[in-house]
Amino acid sequence: MSAVLDRFGTATGPYIGDYNAEPTCAKFHLSDAFIRGIRGPMGSGKSVACVMEMVIRAHQQAPDRKGNRRTRWGAIRNTYGELKTTTIKTFQDWIPQEIGPIKWDEPITCMFHRKMPDGTKIEMEVIFIAVDRPQHIKKLKSLELTGAVLNETSELDKSILDMVSARVGRFPSKKDGAKLTWCGVLMDTNSMDD
């Protein structure tokens, strides 16, 4: 994992100190593809890799004229129950409450702040969204995101990927003098049934 950490030039901290990507996850981190997916068996670190990729991309985001490295992410799962018991739990395992508090309003959000050694500040916002029916896709309309994570993608309708692909790359705002460093969609899933 050190090669990935070196990509954004920061020392390890409480949210990345013990992360060692498995070989497939390390390859996932090294890709700059707009749409990237990772598939594997249960417990292989796919969801953790997606959480860490959000953190990596937040560090890499170019600062705006105020020195803020701002990103906004959608973390999408098919039901609120699974969002709370799996997606958010994995997120909290790696982004503890003290540095990335979760607000349990609707929608559920997290705001992660971190000062960098170069004087810039990371502001990573994550919006947790459940989309279990085609009519719920409207929750994604008008979102302005840097990127999105589709958790357990095999359980999601392809129309969700289509919609979210059009919602990324819209944050941070150009009015703040921010150059968008990367945008895209990250996906993880267990292997699908035939």
Side-chain angles (χ1 to χ4, degrees):
M1 183 57 197
S2 61
V4 176
L5 297 179
D6 291 343
R7 287 182 72 186
F8 56 81
T10 186
T12 58
Y15 59 101
I16 54 176
D18 295 328
Y19 178 63
N20 291 308
E22 296 295 328
T24 300
C25 296
K27 288 178 185 177
F28 176 80
H29 290 306
L30 293 173
S31 172
D32 286 326
F34 176 74
I35 295 179
R36 239 180 310 159
I38 188 167
R39 178 181 62 128
M42 289 185 288
S44 60
K46 305 172 301 293
S47 298
V48 173
C50 286
V51 170
M52 296 313 297
E53 187 64 15
M54 286 191 288
V55 173
I56 290 166
R57 296 298 173 168
H59 280 77
Q60 291 175 336
Q61 172 56 44
D64 62 20
R65 64 176 64 101
K66 295 178 183 176
N68 296 320
R69 299 172 182 267
R70 299 177 68 212
T71 58
R72 181 180 298 141
W73 297 84
I76 300 164
R77 184 73 198 255
N78 57 328
T79 69
Y80 264 110
E82 290 169 329
L83 193 67
K84 290 178 180 177
T85 60
T86 60
T87 309
I88 294 173
K89 292 292 185 195
T90 299
F91 185 86
Q92 288 182 307
D93 282 347
W94 293 93
I95 310 292
Q97 186 74 9
E98 19 335 325
I99 60 173
I102 301 279
K103 290 188 179 178
W104 294 96
D105 304 331
E106 193 169 321
I108 302 168
T109 59
C110 171
M111 189 57 115
F112 168 89
H113 294 275
R114 179 156 173 88
K115 289 187 178 182
M116 297 295 292
D118 65 0
T120 62
K121 183 178 173 185
I122 294 169
E123 294 182 4
M124 181 179 83
E125 179 182 5
V126 182
I127 304 167
F128 297 94
I129 306 165
V131 184
D132 60 348
R133 296 186 193 113
Q135 63 266 33
H136 289 172
I137 292 175
K138 65 184 178 186
K139 294 179 186 179
L140 305 174
K141 289 183 178 178
S142 300
L143 281 177
E144 295 183 350
L145 303 171
T146 307
V149 174
L150 304 183
N151 185 227
E152 292 300 342
T153 309
S154 63
E155 298 176 13
L156 299 171
D157 191 83
K158 184 184 177 295
S159 60
I160 296 166
L161 173 62
D162 296 339
M163 176 61 80
V164 81
S165 295
R167 305 314 314 164
V168 300
R170 296 172 175 259
F171 188 87
S173 173
K174 291 180 183 178
K175 72 176 177 60
D176 295 327
K179 177 184 176 270
L180 183 61
T181 305
W182 179 87
C183 67
V185 180
L186 310 172
M187 302 181 291
D188 72 80
T189 191
N190 292 322
S191 294
M192 292 68 94
D193 294 336
D194 290 344

